[in-house]
Amino acid sequence: MSEQPLNPTPATAPDDATTVDTHADAAATGSTAADALADATADATAGVTPDEAAALRAASFERARRLRQEPRFPGGPAADPAGSHHERRIRSFQPRRSRVTTGQQDALERLWPKWGLDIDGKRVLDLAEMFDGLPVVLEIGFGMGEATAQMAADDPGTGILAVDVHTPGQGNLLGLADRAGSTNVRVANGDAIILLREMLAPGSLDGLRVYFPDPWPKARHHKRRLIQPEFLDLVAPVLKPGAIIHCATDWEPYAEQMLEVLTAHPCFENTAADGGYAPRPAFRPLTRFEGQGLDKGHVVHDLLFARV
């Protein structure tokens, strides 16, 4: 497996970068520094005119904004990898703010230059070079990475390009893969839509995995669900004929929508003989999240559709 660094992006965001959908973990970056700036601004505005105070506050806000755009770990995942050159649109993911452990930080600092990449929309990935000719599946949303790491260890003959925006999960997956001796995992940071649309060559993927995506249960949020006809239109060209889309969810209404949308798309065919849901394949581990759902009485549905 190639050991060449994958992430050519600079350690800090450019000065003219603006935030469209900044990773919330990165938004927390520099919070201490930002608080210090706010305190300093409050002290500086004492005894000045209203116009001078407004200018000082604006300058402080801009400095704090730039701090929040810097990566939490220099050389690691960028806060806003695609920058402002991509359009504003509805996002299917909800970035989360949480603490990065010492072990996750160590994995990010050691392994990101080798196994990590930012989704910047500025290049087309050479997956054959990246994975030394292995067939490659894309996994969108891997949480803390336990299932992904297990699948990589169980099937070293398949490369996994795993995409998420959650910094602790990125560090956790890198650490798990490293400890297992798995070299067939690459971790991508950013928006999977930009990856599919601008960074993957036609027919470059052997499969797509979307396990337990956010169900966005409120009716007004259904437009944020990932599995939509427009998403499948993006996916179809980058999948090889016969490649499998594998989705799993424990949210019954979302499972029904997935089945309806996949069945209606002309580029995909249900592998289930009865045209319905499929049994959980042996290669998909039972995840912690899934186990919690089963304990609550949820029913998990797997869907496997082939690219025709």
Side-chain angles (χ1 to χ4, degrees):
M1 193 63 61
S2 173
E3 299 296 329
Q4 295 299 315
L6 299 176
N7 184 15
T9 55
T12 58
D15 286 345
D16 60 351
T18 58
T19 300
V20 174
D21 186 31
T22 304
H23 183 179
D25 292 323
T29 305
S31 59
T32 300
D35 292 342
L37 280 172
D39 292 342
T41 302
D43 293 339
T45 55
V48 301
T49 68
D51 287 345
E52 290 172 334
L56 285 169
R57 285 194 295 270
S60 175
F61 177 82
E62 177 61 19
R63 289 194 297 271
R65 183 188 67 81
R66 290 181 180 178
L67 279 171
R68 293 187 180 99
Q69 284 187 298
E70 294 178 358
R72 298 184 72 174
F73 310 104
D80 185 19
S84 60
H85 62 280
H86 288 283
E87 79 286 358
R88 292 179 179 270
R89 59 178 170 78
I90 296 170
R91 294 296 198 267
S92 64
F93 56 87
Q94 179 73 24
R96 307 183 304 276
R97 178 183 301 174
S98 57
R99 185 178 64 88
V100 174
T101 68
T102 301
Q104 292 160 1
Q105 177 177 345
D106 174 71
L108 286 165
E109 292 174 346
R110 288 188 302 107
L111 302 170
W112 187 262
K114 181 170 64 171
W115 290 345
L117 64 104
D118 283 318
I119 299 174
D120 55 15
K122 298 178 181 179
R123 54 188 169 133
V124 175
L125 301 177
D126 186 341
L127 297 184
E129 178 182 0
M130 187 182 297
F131 289 94
D132 286 346
L134 295 177
V136 179
V137 299
L138 173 66
E139 182 177 0
I140 298 177
F142 55 80
M144 293 305 292
E146 296 99 333
T148 306
Q150 184 174 334
M151 288 186 289
D154 291 344
D155 184 13
T158 296
I160 301 178
L161 178 58
V163 181
D164 210 304
V165 295
H166 188 46
T167 307
Q170 293 167 347
N172 202 58
L173 175 55
L174 288 170
L176 290 170
D178 185 46
R179 290 191 291 276
S182 300
T183 60
N184 56 328
V185 177
R186 298 294 181 267
V187 178
N189 168 55
D191 191 339
I193 299 299
I194 295 173
L195 176 71
L196 288 163
R197 188 178 62 199
E198 302 181 33
M199 297 181 68
L200 294 177
S204 58
L205 291 178
D206 292 83
L208 170 67
R209 296 168 180 170
V210 184
Y211 299 153
F212 304 99
D214 195 323
W216 293 101
K218 295 181 179 179
R220 68 177 183 272
H221 292 155
H222 287 181
K223 60 190 176 184
R224 296 183 180 273
R225 288 177 173 174
L226 182 62
I227 307 302
Q228 307 272 7
E230 298 79 9
F231 173 75
L232 297 181
D233 290 341
L234 277 179
V235 169
V238 300
L239 290 176
K240 297 176 182 177
I244 298 294
I245 288 186
H246 183 192
C247 302
T249 181
D250 68 337
W251 192 260
E252 185 77 27
Y254 197 9
E256 294 170 355
Q257 177 186 325
M258 288 178 175
L259 184 60
E260 179 182 351
V261 170
L262 283 160
T263 300
H265 201 285
C267 291
F268 300 100
E269 184 176 75
N270 199 337
T271 64
D274 63 358
Y277 303 113
R280 178 173 65 90
F283 67 81
R284 183 176 74 76
L286 186 70
T287 68
R288 179 176 55 182
F289 177 85
E290 183 178 2
Q292 292 171 349
L294 292 172
D295 290 342
K296 296 175 183 177
H298 295 183
V299 177
V300 175
H301 292 293
D302 284 76
L303 303 92
L304 286 90
F305 279 70
R307 173 73 164 94
V308 295

